[in-house]
Amino acid sequence: MIKKLFPCLFKKEELISPPNADSVTILKDLKTEWSDLEIEVFEAINYERIWLGHQLKELFLEPYLCTIAREHSRNMVISNKASHSDFPKRLLQAKTYCNSGFFGEVVAVGYNDANSVLKGFIYSEKHKEILLNNKATHLGISIETNYKGKRFFTILLSERKI
């Protein structure tokens, strides 16, 4: 099961590090556990891509992208608003760790379940374009909740070139 979610991390049964792992400190707190809601959103995105007429390839959950997404979701909690601030930083991190070609980001605030957040993304042409990009191979997700229970979503999609 873990190899299905993270095939890019395995080589001859051994966990490998991404290129240039020493250059950015984000790997010190690698995200390796996901909430039920994060898994539901991930699965809903794949369902939309594969089965609902788009016939796109399945995305794989990428821990490095999830870690980058978590940092951004936490920053949105602090500012209490959805934003794409520091996008160039996340782009550089993805290119460093994932040898990324295509890279896209969608963010949202205030949704409570996977279906409603996915509908919100699909109704936005820009978000839909990113989620349904045929070059995307990997996804990073983080959902952080503030003290009032408001959820902040960051989803990163990347084309991993190994």
Side-chain angles (χ1 to χ4, degrees):
M1 175 65 165
I2 197 156
K3 282 189 181 181
K4 180 167 176 36
L5 290 176
F6 315 119
C8 56
L9 296 180
F10 289 87
K11 185 177 183 180
K12 295 184 181 176
E13 304 300 321
E14 294 180 14
L15 196 59
I16 60 171
S17 296
N20 303 319
D22 296 335
S23 64
V24 184
T25 58
I26 198 163
L27 280 181
K28 289 184 178 180
D29 190 20
L30 184 65
K31 181 171 178 145
T32 57
E33 295 182 8
W34 293 268
S35 69
D36 289 344
L37 183 56
E38 287 169 330
I39 296 299
E40 288 171 19
V41 172
F42 168 71
E43 290 173 346
I45 290 169
N46 265 333
Y47 186 80
E48 177 75 28
R49 288 174 56 87
I50 297 166
W51 299 109
L52 295 182
H54 305 293
Q55 299 176 344
L56 297 169
K57 56 190 157 203
E58 178 180 14
L59 297 172
F60 294 97
L61 199 55
E62 169 58 71
Y64 299 110
L65 292 175
C66 292
T67 303
I68 296 166
R70 180 181 54 201
E71 179 183 19
H72 184 59
S73 288
R74 287 178 176 173
N75 288 337
M76 290 193 301
V77 166
I78 291 166
S79 68
N80 199 33
K81 64 180 181 179
S83 79
H84 294 282
S85 63
D86 293 330
F87 178 80
K89 176 184 173 186
R90 289 184 294 288
L91 175 62
L92 178 62
Q93 289 170 325
K95 288 193 178 294
T96 300
Y97 290 126
C98 300
N99 193 22
S100 181
F102 162 79
F103 180 74
E105 169 181 89
V106 295
V107 299
V109 174
Y111 292 96
N112 291 316
D113 61 72
N115 287 335
S116 62
V117 74
L118 183 62
K119 283 180 186 175
F121 288 147
I122 296 303
Y123 289 143
S124 161
E125 277 305 312
K126 196 68 171 163
H127 287 131
K128 181 179 180 179
E129 181 182 317
I130 292 167
L131 290 175
L132 301 180
N133 187 292
N134 65 352
K135 292 181 181 178
T137 58
H138 290 76
L139 179 143
I141 184 168
S142 180
I143 304 167
E144 297 293 324
T145 306
N146 72 7
Y147 70 96
K148 292 182 177 180
K150 188 176 182 181
R151 292 187 171 111
F152 294 78
F153 296 75
T154 301
I155 298 172
L156 306 175
L157 286 93
S158 177
E159 172 189 23
R160 185 168 179 104
K161 296 180 176 181
I162 297 179

PDB file of all heavy atoms in Angstrom, residues 26-49:
ATOM      1  N   ILE A  26      12.993  22.310   5.084  1.00  0.00           N
ATOM      2  CA  ILE A  26      11.629  21.818   5.258  1.00  0.00           C
ATOM      3  C   ILE A  26      11.569  20.311   5.518  1.00  0.00           C
ATOM      4  O   ILE A  26      10.643  19.824   6.138  1.00  0.00           O
ATOM      5  CB  ILE A  26      10.752  22.206   4.054  1.00  0.00           C
ATOM      6  CG1 ILE A  26       9.283  22.095   4.422  1.00  0.00           C
ATOM      7  CG2 ILE A  26      11.076  21.383   2.832  1.00  0.00           C
ATOM      8  CD1 ILE A  26       8.365  22.816   3.507  1.00  0.00           C
ATOM      9  N   LEU A  27      12.576  19.564   5.106  1.00  0.00           N
ATOM     10  CA  LEU A  27      12.550  18.116   5.291  1.00  0.00           C
ATOM     11  C   LEU A  27      12.729  17.692   6.744  1.00  0.00           C
ATOM     12  O   LEU A  27      12.519  16.535   7.067  1.00  0.00           O
ATOM     13  CB  LEU A  27      13.640  17.448   4.454  1.00  0.00           C
ATOM     14  CG  LEU A  27      13.291  17.273   2.996  1.00  0.00           C
ATOM     15  CD1 LEU A  27      14.421  16.572   2.277  1.00  0.00           C
ATOM     16  CD2 LEU A  27      12.020  16.498   2.819  1.00  0.00           C
ATOM     17  N   LYS A  28      13.077  18.593   7.624  1.00  0.00           N
ATOM     18  CA  LYS A  28      13.267  18.215   9.022  1.00  0.00           C
ATOM     19  C   LYS A  28      11.975  17.743   9.658  1.00  0.00           C
ATOM     20  O   LYS A  28      11.991  17.008  10.621  1.00  0.00           O
ATOM     21  CB  LYS A  28      13.847  19.394   9.810  1.00  0.00           C
ATOM     22  CG  LYS A  28      15.283  19.684   9.448  1.00  0.00           C
ATOM     23  CD  LYS A  28      15.843  20.774  10.315  1.00  0.00           C
ATOM     24  CE  LYS A  28      17.301  20.999   9.962  1.00  0.00           C
ATOM     25  NZ  LYS A  28      17.899  22.034  10.774  1.00  0.00           N
ATOM     26  N   ASP A  29      10.845  18.151   9.134  1.00  0.00           N
ATOM     27  CA  ASP A  29       9.550  17.788   9.700  1.00  0.00           C
ATOM     28  C   ASP A  29       8.664  17.223   8.592  1.00  0.00           C
ATOM     29  O   ASP A  29       7.599  17.729   8.312  1.00  0.00           O
ATOM     30  CB  ASP A  29       8.922  19.040  10.332  1.00  0.00           C
ATOM     31  CG  ASP A  29       7.697  18.705  11.160  1.00  0.00           C
ATOM     32  OD1 ASP A  29       7.541  17.536  11.563  1.00  0.00           O
ATOM     33  OD2 ASP A  29       6.886  19.617  11.386  1.00  0.00           O
ATOM     34  N   LEU A  30       9.132  16.162   7.945  1.00  0.00           N
ATOM     35  CA  LEU A  30       8.435  15.573   6.803  1.00  0.00           C
ATOM     36  C   LEU A  30       7.050  15.070   7.210  1.00  0.00           C
ATOM     37  O   LEU A  30       6.902  14.351   8.198  1.00  0.00           O
ATOM     38  CB  LEU A  30       9.259  14.417   6.238  1.00  0.00           C
ATOM     39  CG  LEU A  30       8.722  13.754   4.976  1.00  0.00           C
ATOM     40  CD1 LEU A  30       8.748  14.752   3.809  1.00  0.00           C
ATOM     41  CD2 LEU A  30       9.562  12.540   4.626  1.00  0.00           C
ATOM     42  N   LYS A  31       6.056  15.453   6.437  1.00  0.00           N
ATOM     43  CA  LYS A  31       4.683  15.037   6.723  1.00  0.00           C
ATOM     44  C   LYS A  31       4.482  13.613   6.224  1.00  0.00           C
ATOM     45  O   LYS A  31       4.597  13.344   5.040  1.00  0.00           O
ATOM     46  CB  LYS A  31       3.695  15.985   6.043  1.00  0.00           C
ATOM     47  CG  LYS A  31       2.259  15.622   6.334  1.00  0.00           C
ATOM     48  CD  LYS A  31       1.286  16.664   5.845  1.00  0.00           C
ATOM     49  CE  LYS A  31      -0.112  16.172   6.135  1.00  0.00           C
ATOM     50  NZ  LYS A  31      -1.004  17.217   6.473  1.00  0.00           N
ATOM     51  N   THR A  32       4.184  12.707   7.139  1.00  0.00           N
ATOM     52  CA  THR A  32       3.993  11.302   6.783  1.00  0.00           C
ATOM     53  C   THR A  32       2.691  10.727   7.321  1.00  0.00           C
ATOM     54  O   THR A  32       2.466   9.536   7.224  1.00  0.00           O
ATOM     55  CB  THR A  32       5.171  10.441   7.296  1.00  0.00           C
ATOM     56  OG1 THR A  32       5.265  10.622   8.704  1.00  0.00           O
ATOM     57  CG2 THR A  32       6.467  10.824   6.622  1.00  0.00           C
ATOM     58  N   GLU A  33       1.854  11.574   7.887  1.00  0.00           N
ATOM     59  CA  GLU A  33       0.544  11.136   8.362  1.00  0.00           C
ATOM     60  C   GLU A  33      -0.504  12.102   7.840  1.00  0.00           C
ATOM     61  O   GLU A  33      -0.266  13.306   7.777  1.00  0.00           O
ATOM     62  CB  GLU A  33       0.493  11.084   9.885  1.00  0.00           C
ATOM     63  CG  GLU A  33       1.429  10.035  10.469  1.00  0.00           C
ATOM     64  CD  GLU A  33       1.332   9.967  11.986  1.00  0.00           C
ATOM     65  OE1 GLU A  33       0.440  10.610  12.567  1.00  0.00           O
ATOM     66  OE2 GLU A  33       2.167   9.267  12.574  1.00  0.00           O
ATOM     67  N   TRP A  34      -1.671  11.552   7.474  1.00  0.00           N
ATOM     68  CA  TRP A  34      -2.717  12.369   6.890  1.00  0.00           C
ATOM     69  C   TRP A  34      -4.026  12.140   7.624  1.00  0.00           C
ATOM     70  O   TRP A  34      -4.319  11.023   8.063  1.00  0.00           O
ATOM     71  CB  TRP A  34      -2.876  12.024   5.409  1.00  0.00           C
ATOM     72  CG  TRP A  34      -1.659  12.434   4.644  1.00  0.00           C
ATOM     73  CD1 TRP A  34      -1.464  13.633   4.022  1.00  0.00           C
ATOM     74  CD2 TRP A  34      -0.446  11.703   4.469  1.00  0.00           C
ATOM     75  NE1 TRP A  34      -0.200  13.676   3.468  1.00  0.00           N
ATOM     76  CE2 TRP A  34       0.443  12.509   3.728  1.00  0.00           C
ATOM     77  CE3 TRP A  34      -0.008  10.458   4.871  1.00  0.00           C
ATOM     78  CZ2 TRP A  34       1.724  12.098   3.372  1.00  0.00           C
ATOM     79  CZ3 TRP A  34       1.267  10.045   4.522  1.00  0.00           C
ATOM     80  CH2 TRP A  34       2.115  10.863   3.777  1.00  0.00           C
ATOM     81  N   SER A  35      -4.802  13.210   7.717  1.00  0.00           N
ATOM     82  CA  SER A  35      -6.115  13.094   8.353  1.00  0.00           C
ATOM     83  C   SER A  35      -7.071  12.374   7.402  1.00  0.00           C
ATOM     84  O   SER A  35      -6.818  12.262   6.199  1.00  0.00           O
ATOM     85  CB  SER A  35      -6.664  14.488   8.675  1.00  0.00           C
ATOM     86  OG  SER A  35      -6.999  15.171   7.468  1.00  0.00           O
ATOM     87  N   ASP A  36      -8.185  11.918   7.948  1.00  0.00           N
ATOM     88  CA  ASP A  36      -9.203  11.278   7.109  1.00  0.00           C
ATOM     89  C   ASP A  36      -9.680  12.241   6.027  1.00  0.00           C
ATOM     90  O   ASP A  36      -9.874  11.844   4.880  1.00  0.00           O
ATOM     91  CB  ASP A  36     -10.391  10.819   7.961  1.00  0.00           C
ATOM     92  CG  ASP A  36     -10.054   9.638   8.855  1.00  0.00           C
ATOM     93  OD1 ASP A  36      -9.018   8.968   8.620  1.00  0.00           O
ATOM     94  OD2 ASP A  36     -10.816   9.385   9.802  1.00  0.00           O
ATOM     95  N   LEU A  37      -9.863  13.504   6.386  1.00  0.00           N
ATOM     96  CA  LEU A  37     -10.334  14.484   5.409  1.00  0.00           C
ATOM     97  C   LEU A  37      -9.302  14.694   4.296  1.00  0.00           C
ATOM     98  O   LEU A  37      -9.673  14.797   3.125  1.00  0.00           O
ATOM     99  CB  LEU A  37     -10.682  15.810   6.088  1.00  0.00           C
ATOM    100  CG  LEU A  37     -11.246  16.897   5.169  1.00  0.00           C
ATOM    101  CD1 LEU A  37     -12.483  16.417   4.404  1.00  0.00           C
ATOM    102  CD2 LEU A  37     -11.562  18.156   5.973  1.00  0.00           C
ATOM    103  N   GLU A  38      -8.031  14.738   4.634  1.00  0.00           N
ATOM    104  CA  GLU A  38      -6.997  14.897   3.604  1.00  0.00           C
ATOM    105  C   GLU A  38      -7.021  13.715   2.632  1.00  0.00           C
ATOM    106  O   GLU A  38      -6.946  13.906   1.413  1.00  0.00           O
ATOM    107  CB  GLU A  38      -5.614  15.033   4.248  1.00  0.00           C
ATOM    108  CG  GLU A  38      -5.411  16.375   4.919  1.00  0.00           C
ATOM    109  CD  GLU A  38      -4.175  16.439   5.787  1.00  0.00           C
ATOM    110  OE1 GLU A  38      -3.754  15.401   6.351  1.00  0.00           O
ATOM    111  OE2 GLU A  38      -3.631  17.550   5.921  1.00  0.00           O
ATOM    112  N   ILE A  39      -7.173  12.509   3.152  1.00  0.00           N
ATOM    113  CA  ILE A  39      -7.258  11.319   2.293  1.00  0.00           C
ATOM    114  C   ILE A  39      -8.527  11.368   1.444  1.00  0.00           C
ATOM    115  O   ILE A  39      -8.499  11.047   0.245  1.00  0.00           O
ATOM    116  CB  ILE A  39      -7.196  10.019   3.121  1.00  0.00           C
ATOM    117  CG1 ILE A  39      -5.839   9.896   3.821  1.00  0.00           C
ATOM    118  CG2 ILE A  39      -7.470   8.794   2.248  1.00  0.00           C
ATOM    119  CD1 ILE A  39      -4.629   9.841   2.905  1.00  0.00           C
ATOM    120  N   GLU A  40      -9.633  11.794   2.014  1.00  0.00           N
ATOM    121  CA  GLU A  40     -10.889  11.897   1.266  1.00  0.00           C
ATOM    122  C   GLU A  40     -10.775  12.899   0.122  1.00  0.00           C
ATOM    123  O   GLU A  40     -11.255  12.641  -0.986  1.00  0.00           O
ATOM    124  CB  GLU A  40     -12.034  12.291   2.193  1.00  0.00           C
ATOM    125  CG  GLU A  40     -12.466  11.192   3.132  1.00  0.00           C
ATOM    126  CD  GLU A  40     -13.454  11.677   4.193  1.00  0.00           C
ATOM    127  OE1 GLU A  40     -14.073  12.750   3.999  1.00  0.00           O
ATOM    128  OE2 GLU A  40     -13.595  10.984   5.210  1.00  0.00           O
ATOM    129  N   VAL A  41     -10.145  14.044   0.364  1.00  0.00           N
ATOM    130  CA  VAL A  41      -9.967  15.044  -0.690  1.00  0.00           C
ATOM    131  C   VAL A  41      -9.048  14.489  -1.780  1.00  0.00           C
ATOM    132  O   VAL A  41      -9.332  14.617  -2.975  1.00  0.00           O
ATOM    133  CB  VAL A  41      -9.423  16.378  -0.131  1.00  0.00           C
ATOM    134  CG1 VAL A  41      -9.057  17.335  -1.254  1.00  0.00           C
ATOM    135  CG2 VAL A  41     -10.444  17.019   0.800  1.00  0.00           C
ATOM    136  N   PHE A  42      -7.951  13.858  -1.385  1.00  0.00           N
ATOM    137  CA  PHE A  42      -7.029  13.230  -2.332  1.00  0.00           C
ATOM    138  C   PHE A  42      -7.772  12.222  -3.214  1.00  0.00           C
ATOM    139  O   PHE A  42      -7.658  12.241  -4.441  1.00  0.00           O
ATOM    140  CB  PHE A  42      -5.881  12.561  -1.567  1.00  0.00           C
ATOM    141  CG  PHE A  42      -5.028  11.646  -2.380  1.00  0.00           C
ATOM    142  CD1 PHE A  42      -4.164  12.151  -3.342  1.00  0.00           C
ATOM    143  CD2 PHE A  42      -5.066  10.280  -2.178  1.00  0.00           C
ATOM    144  CE1 PHE A  42      -3.373  11.308  -4.096  1.00  0.00           C
ATOM    145  CE2 PHE A  42      -4.275   9.427  -2.923  1.00  0.00           C
ATOM    146  CZ  PHE A  42      -3.419   9.943  -3.891  1.00  0.00           C
ATOM    147  N   GLU A  43      -8.555  11.346  -2.591  1.00  0.00           N
ATOM    148  CA  GLU A  43      -9.303  10.340  -3.344  1.00  0.00           C
ATOM    149  C   GLU A  43     -10.368  10.977  -4.242  1.00  0.00           C
ATOM    150  O   GLU A  43     -10.589  10.528  -5.366  1.00  0.00           O
ATOM    151  CB  GLU A  43      -9.932   9.326  -2.391  1.00  0.00           C
ATOM    152  CG  GLU A  43      -8.897   8.424  -1.744  1.00  0.00           C
ATOM    153  CD  GLU A  43      -9.462   7.509  -0.668  1.00  0.00           C
ATOM    154  OE1 GLU A  43     -10.618   7.726  -0.213  1.00  0.00           O
ATOM    155  OE2 GLU A  43      -8.738   6.575  -0.277  1.00  0.00           O
ATOM    156  N   ALA A  44     -11.021  12.031  -3.766  1.00  0.00           N
ATOM    157  CA  ALA A  44     -12.038  12.721  -4.571  1.00  0.00           C
ATOM    158  C   ALA A  44     -11.415  13.365  -5.811  1.00  0.00           C
ATOM    159  O   ALA A  44     -11.998  13.331  -6.899  1.00  0.00           O
ATOM    160  CB  ALA A  44     -12.760  13.771  -3.725  1.00  0.00           C
ATOM    161  N   ILE A  45     -10.228  13.931  -5.656  1.00  0.00           N
ATOM    162  CA  ILE A  45      -9.537  14.526  -6.804  1.00  0.00           C
ATOM    163  C   ILE A  45      -9.189  13.446  -7.821  1.00  0.00           C
ATOM    164  O   ILE A  45      -9.406  13.618  -9.023  1.00  0.00           O
ATOM    165  CB  ILE A  45      -8.291  15.319  -6.355  1.00  0.00           C
ATOM    166  CG1 ILE A  45      -8.727  16.580  -5.604  1.00  0.00           C
ATOM    167  CG2 ILE A  45      -7.403  15.680  -7.548  1.00  0.00           C
ATOM    168  CD1 ILE A  45      -7.605  17.302  -4.883  1.00  0.00           C
ATOM    169  N   ASN A  46      -8.663  12.327  -7.348  1.00  0.00           N
ATOM    170  CA  ASN A  46      -8.349  11.229  -8.271  1.00  0.00           C
ATOM    171  C   ASN A  46      -9.600  10.702  -8.951  1.00  0.00           C
ATOM    172  O   ASN A  46      -9.594  10.408 -10.148  1.00  0.00           O
ATOM    173  CB  ASN A  46      -7.604  10.097  -7.556  1.00  0.00           C
ATOM    174  CG  ASN A  46      -6.110  10.224  -7.707  1.00  0.00           C
ATOM    175  OD1 ASN A  46      -5.607  10.793  -8.678  1.00  0.00           O
ATOM    176  ND2 ASN A  46      -5.384   9.708  -6.740  1.00  0.00           N
ATOM    177  N   TYR A  47     -10.691  10.571  -8.202  1.00  0.00           N
ATOM    178  CA  TYR A  47     -11.954  10.105  -8.783  1.00  0.00           C
ATOM    179  C   TYR A  47     -12.403  11.056  -9.894  1.00  0.00           C
ATOM    180  O   TYR A  47     -12.785  10.628 -10.979  1.00  0.00           O
ATOM    181  CB  TYR A  47     -13.021   9.981  -7.697  1.00  0.00           C
ATOM    182  CG  TYR A  47     -14.304   9.380  -8.195  1.00  0.00           C
ATOM    183  CD1 TYR A  47     -14.434   8.009  -8.345  1.00  0.00           C
ATOM    184  CD2 TYR A  47     -15.386  10.192  -8.522  1.00  0.00           C
ATOM    185  CE1 TYR A  47     -15.612   7.449  -8.822  1.00  0.00           C
ATOM    186  CE2 TYR A  47     -16.566   9.640  -8.989  1.00  0.00           C
ATOM    187  CZ  TYR A  47     -16.676   8.266  -9.146  1.00  0.00           C
ATOM    188  OH  TYR A  47     -17.842   7.727  -9.623  1.00  0.00           O
ATOM    189  N   GLU A  48     -12.328  12.343  -9.620  1.00  0.00           N
ATOM    190  CA  GLU A  48     -12.697  13.349 -10.624  1.00  0.00           C
ATOM    191  C   GLU A  48     -11.819  13.214 -11.865  1.00  0.00           C
ATOM    192  O   GLU A  48     -12.300  13.237 -12.989  1.00  0.00           O
ATOM    193  CB  GLU A  48     -12.546  14.752 -10.029  1.00  0.00           C
ATOM    194  CG  GLU A  48     -12.839  15.880 -10.994  1.00  0.00           C
ATOM    195  CD  GLU A  48     -14.317  16.085 -11.287  1.00  0.00           C
ATOM    196  OE1 GLU A  48     -15.161  15.761 -10.435  1.00  0.00           O
ATOM    197  OE2 GLU A  48     -14.637  16.584 -12.382  1.00  0.00           O
ATOM    198  N   ARG A  49     -10.521  13.061 -11.676  1.00  0.00           N
ATOM    199  CA  ARG A  49      -9.564  12.981 -12.786  1.00  0.00           C
ATOM    200  C   ARG A  49      -9.749  11.702 -13.624  1.00  0.00           C
ATOM    201  O   ARG A  49      -9.680  11.742 -14.838  1.00  0.00           O
ATOM    202  CB  ARG A  49      -8.129  13.011 -12.259  1.00  0.00           C
ATOM    203  CG  ARG A  49      -7.680  14.357 -11.742  1.00  0.00           C
ATOM    204  CD  ARG A  49      -6.302  14.267 -11.115  1.00  0.00           C
ATOM    205  NE  ARG A  49      -5.305  13.738 -12.026  1.00  0.00           N
ATOM    206  CZ  ARG A  49      -4.586  14.467 -12.890  1.00  0.00           C
ATOM    207  NH1 ARG A  49      -4.748  15.774 -12.931  1.00  0.00           N
ATOM    208  NH2 ARG A  49      -3.701  13.904 -13.686  1.00  0.00           N
TER     209      ARG A  49
END
